[in-house]
Amino acid sequence: MRAMRVLLLVVVVGVVAALVSGPGTRPATVGGAARPIAEIAPDLGATINAALAPVADVVERFPAVVPGTPCLSTARACIDLSANRSWLISGGKVVYGPVPITHGRPGWRTPPGTFRVAFKSINHKSTIFDDAPMPFSVFFNGGIAFHQGSLRVPSHGCIHLSPAAARQYFGTLQRGDIVQVVP
């Protein structure tokens, strides 16, 4: 329904522009500057403003990609599995990164998708892999977490970070924050 309103707006603005300028003429100008529509057709101002109102809602519902990342501005953490990089994002801008990562090895792939931080554990030990240390763990998809780990050896699905990056992610991310994992 909103897409139809936007399309209708584009058509209305085009028709108004054609009517105001007329066929084969240039837009109405004063001293070489284009005149605002409100000046040319004052009774259309309220109609155009009403037609534009839904556009803001459409833009809000379809967030933009954060420059320099493959993730949307709604994400707080972004993971690019194919590039082995990750970022922290705030307000649609990169605030930390990119940082190198390793992720799931064959048979233990890190699944792509959009998740939320569930919990954090500063000195976590794996209950599945012989109490393996997982310092600065930030869990976002079941047993999958960001944590300090090897940047040379692939994981069992988790996102390995350097010690400094693991501390930064642990200190920044909070329960409920969005983590976007891109293939």
Side-chain angles (χ1 to χ4, degrees), residues 78-89:
C78 174
I79 302 165
D80 185 342
L81 297 174
S82 62
N84 289 317
R85 296 185 301 181
S86 182
W87 300 260
L88 290 175
I89 298 167

Side-chain angles (χ1 to χ4, degrees), residues 83-105:
N84 289 317
R85 296 185 301 181
S86 182
W87 300 260
L88 290 175
I89 298 167
S90 181
K93 296 181 180 177
V94 172
V95 294
Y96 186 76
V99 295
I101 64 162
T102 54
H103 54 84
R105 62 183 75 180

Side-chain angles (χ1 to χ4, degrees), residues 71-72 74-80 86-89 110-119 138-141 144-146 159 169 173-182:
C71 295
L72 298 176
T74 53
R76 188 71 170 100
C78 174
I79 302 165
D80 185 342
S86 182
W87 300 260
L88 290 175
I89 298 167
T110 305
T114 301
F115 310 96
R116 289 196 179 267
V117 171
F119 70 99
V138 179
F139 287 86
F140 60 88
N141 180 11
I144 296 178
F146 289 107
I159 303 299
Y169 277 56
L173 294 172
Q174 300 301 317
R175 186 170 186 234
D177 283 346
I178 295 173
V179 176
Q180 187 174 359
V181 182
V182 177

Side-chain angles (χ1 to χ4, degrees), residues 9 43 55 62 130 132:
L9 171 66
D43 54 328
V55 174
F62 297 100
D130 300 323

Side-chain angles (χ1 to χ4, degrees), residues 20-21 25-30 33-36 40:
V20 169
S21 63
T25 63
R26 298 199 332 249
T29 61
V30 175
R35 290 173 41 200
I40 298 166

Side-chain angles (χ1 to χ4, degrees), residues 4-160:
M4 291 298 290
R5 287 182 187 166
V6 171
L7 180 60
L8 179 61
L9 171 66
V10 170
V11 170
V12 167
V13 169
V15 169
V16 167
L19 290 173
V20 169
S21 63
T25 63
R26 298 199 332 249
T29 61
V30 175
R35 290 173 41 200
I37 268 210
E39 182 181 310
I40 298 166
D43 54 328
L44 287 178
T47 303
I48 291 172
N49 286 340
L52 286 174
V55 174
D57 185 44
V58 170
V59 169
E60 186 176 307
R61 289 182 37 179
F62 297 100
V65 172
V66 175
T69 79
C71 295
L72 298 176
S73 59
T74 53
R76 188 71 170 100
C78 174
I79 302 165
D80 185 342
L81 297 174
S82 62
N84 289 317
R85 296 185 301 181
S86 182
W87 300 260
L88 290 175
I89 298 167
S90 181
K93 296 181 180 177
V94 172
V95 294
Y96 186 76
V99 295
I101 64 162
T102 54
H103 54 84
R105 62 183 75 180
W108 298 92
R109 297 285 183 204
T110 305
T114 301
F115 310 96
R116 289 196 179 267
V117 171
F119 70 99
K120 301 184 331 181
S121 177
I122 197 162
N123 290 312
H124 193 79
K125 297 207 185 267
S126 172
T127 57
I128 301 171
F129 299 104
D130 300 323
D131 284 337
M134 298 170 57
F136 303 103
S137 289
V138 179
F139 287 86
F140 60 88
N141 180 11
I144 296 178
F146 289 107
H147 66 83
Q148 181 180 319
S150 172
L151 294 178
R152 290 188 294 270
V153 179
S155 72
H156 287 97
C158 287
I159 303 299
H160 285 173

